[in-house]
Amino acid sequence: LDKLRAVRTMRMTGKMTIAPPGIEAAFVMEAARPGMMRGDLTVQGLTQTIGYDGKSAWQINPFQGKRDAERVPDEDAADFRDQAD
């Protein structure tokens, strides 16, 4: 447990299949203590990015036609905070 708590940064990468119709997606999730995270999900050449800087959450979601970073309301940011821990 002490060794897990001593970890300061983490990076996970992977691929998944979204079914149906079997579309492949790649993801990268990075976290740094205390309480920061970033996640990228790439599907068919479009990349959705989410992030949390310890205070506020933001996202870029081209799947909803949005190409610029937008702040995520605090009430919707709980999942981001949990992933950053």
Side-chain angles (χ1 to χ4, degrees), residues 27-50:
F27 69 89
V28 176
M29 178 69 74
E30 299 173 315
R33 286 192 174 142
M36 294 182 283
M37 65 77 73
R38 176 187 170 128
D40 296 308
L41 175 70
T42 302
V43 179
Q44 295 183 330
L46 295 176
T47 301
Q48 176 185 17
T49 301
I50 60 172

Side-chain angles (χ1 to χ4, degrees), residues 4-68:
L4 286 175
R5 288 184 177 148
V7 172
R8 294 288 165 225
T9 60
M10 176 180 66
R11 180 181 192 149
M12 296 184 293
T13 61
K15 292 183 180 179
M16 64 182 146
T17 302
I18 302 170
I23 298 170
E24 197 164 287
F27 69 89
V28 176
M29 178 69 74
E30 299 173 315
R33 286 192 174 142
M36 294 182 283
M37 65 77 73
R38 176 187 170 128
D40 296 308
L41 175 70
T42 302
V43 179
Q44 295 183 330
L46 295 176
T47 301
Q48 176 185 17
T49 301
I50 60 172
Y52 184 72
D53 64 7
K55 296 179 184 174
S56 60
W58 56 273
Q59 68 178 341
I60 302 170
N61 193 348
F63 303 110
Q64 294 179 347
K66 300 175 182 177
R67 304 264 180 198
D68 296 321

